[in-house]
Amino acid sequence: MALQKLIVGNWKMNGSVSFVRETLSYWQTQNIFHHTVICPPFPLLPLVKEQLSSPFLSLGAQDCHHKSSGAFTGNTSANLLYEIGCQYVLTGHSERRQYHAETNELIKEKAEMALANHLIPIVCIGENLQEKEQGKTLSILNSQVAASTPSSGVDFCVAYEPVWAIGTGKTASLEDIASAHDALRQQLGENIKLLYGGSVTADNYLEIFSLNNVDGVLVGGVSLKKEDFSRMICNESAIHTQ
Ligand code: PEP
């Protein structure tokens, strides 16, 4: 069976109106093959949505609030994200955990709120460098999954993103990715999509795709480079045959 991969582009706090116009009109000329989710900053969501030109392109947000509405200045509800056309939302990205002190418990509430509002949460987990050096990777992942993924429902994704690999140019080794993803598969079962993130590029993603339990990738920096990202989302040779 041929499987398309899921490729998620996280623009973080980057992009502009002109960047959206230029990038999305470039993609209109490309033959997109993989299911691709674009996660721009909140104000750009409607503009990106308007210009999605392929059935393989979907919209995602970078975060949502854990409550449905109320006096939470500066936050955005899952329901509103759904209403404006989002299908996915990142929860618990390491930058949210680090700079906004988000806990596993809060991330779980966000993921459950996303599911309740017809969004597919992409729950991000990953060990830091010290934990890796202490050989604690698999136990950290196990406890993050237990505490930050939704209690029920199968329509969510988990992104394994070693904190030390995000935005650093240091990708985890194929052995490390394989052992983390095999353990996650055992814990989560066959129905949950497992993504890897951490300095994925147009030059290394094919070997990551070749691993058994990798269903896709979460891409930060390279998702802002329109030609490089196109090489990833259009590449039919990356079909994994089972
Ligand atoms: C990310 O933003 O989740 C990420 C993995 O970034 P980068 O690809 O730049 O390491």
Side-chain angles (χ1 to χ4, degrees):
M1 183 179 61
L3 280 182
Q4 286 164 296
K5 301 291 186 182
L6 179 62
I7 301 182
V8 182
N10 174 18
W11 289 5
K12 311 191 186 199
M13 201 173 72
N14 298 296
S16 61
V17 169
S18 58
F19 178 82
V20 170
R21 295 207 170 111
E22 193 191 317
T23 304
L24 276 283
S25 60
Y26 176 76
W27 289 344
Q28 277 163 15
T29 66
Q30 305 293 300
N31 186 14
I32 296 173
F33 175 74
H34 291 292
H35 184 186
T36 303
V37 181
I38 307 300
C39 303
F42 287 122
L44 295 178
L45 286 165
L47 189 61
V48 172
K49 171 74 183 163
E50 250 172 50
Q51 308 203 17
L52 293 180
S53 53
S54 154
F56 294 120
L57 286 174
S58 306
L59 192 64
Q62 297 176 17
D63 183 42
C64 67
H65 200 265
H66 61 291
K67 298 282 188 197
S68 51
S69 63
F72 300 106
T73 303
N75 289 119
T76 303
S77 71
N79 179 48
L80 182 57
L81 294 173
Y82 175 69
E83 209 175 287
I84 65 163
C86 289
Q87 287 176 263
Y88 290 82
V89 61
L90 301 177
T91 58
H93 190 280
S94 71
E95 287 148 19
R96 301 288 315 173
R97 291 177 188 259
Q98 185 181 351
Y99 303 128
H100 299 267
E102 292 196 1
T103 60
N104 285 326
E105 293 67 31
L106 178 74
I107 292 159
K108 177 182 179 140
E109 284 186 58
K110 289 183 178 209
E112 289 180 344
M113 183 56 71
L115 280 177
N117 287 282
H118 320 289
L119 297 172
I120 300 174
I122 301 170
V123 183
C124 303
I125 58 170
E127 85 285 2
N128 63 32
L129 188 56
Q130 192 186 16
E131 291 160 343
K132 175 185 165 53
E133 287 171 350
Q134 291 170 346
K136 292 184 180 162
T137 299
L138 295 186
S139 68
I140 293 287
L141 298 185
N142 183 283
S143 57
Q144 287 182 338
V145 164
S148 63
T149 60
S151 305
S152 60
V154 288
D155 215 1
F156 66 90
C157 306
V158 168
Y160 167 49
E161 298 207 293
V163 177
W164 50 269
I166 297 178
T168 59
K170 294 181 194 152
T171 317
S173 70
L174 292 180
E175 292 71 28
D176 285 348
I177 300 173
S179 93
H181 280 239
D182 290 352
L184 290 170
R185 179 66 72 215
Q186 277 218 319
Q187 187 178 2
L188 286 159
E190 291 299 321
N191 293 321
I192 303 301
K193 277 202 164 65
L194 300 177
L195 314 182
Y196 167 77
S199 298
V200 176
T201 68
D203 295 322
N204 65 20
Y205 79 108
L206 282 179
E207 49 185 11
I208 297 171
F209 277 2
S210 73
L211 300 172
N212 252 344
N213 286 315
V214 173
D215 302 309
V217 285
L218 175 47
V219 185
V222 171
S223 69
L224 296 161
K225 298 182 179 166
K226 63 182 191 308
E227 283 95 358
D228 284 3
F229 197 57
S230 281
R231 276 171 61 203
M232 298 173 68
I233 65 183
C234 297
N235 191 343
E236 295 188 29
S237 68
I239 302 171
H240 176 61
T241 306
Q242 289 193 325

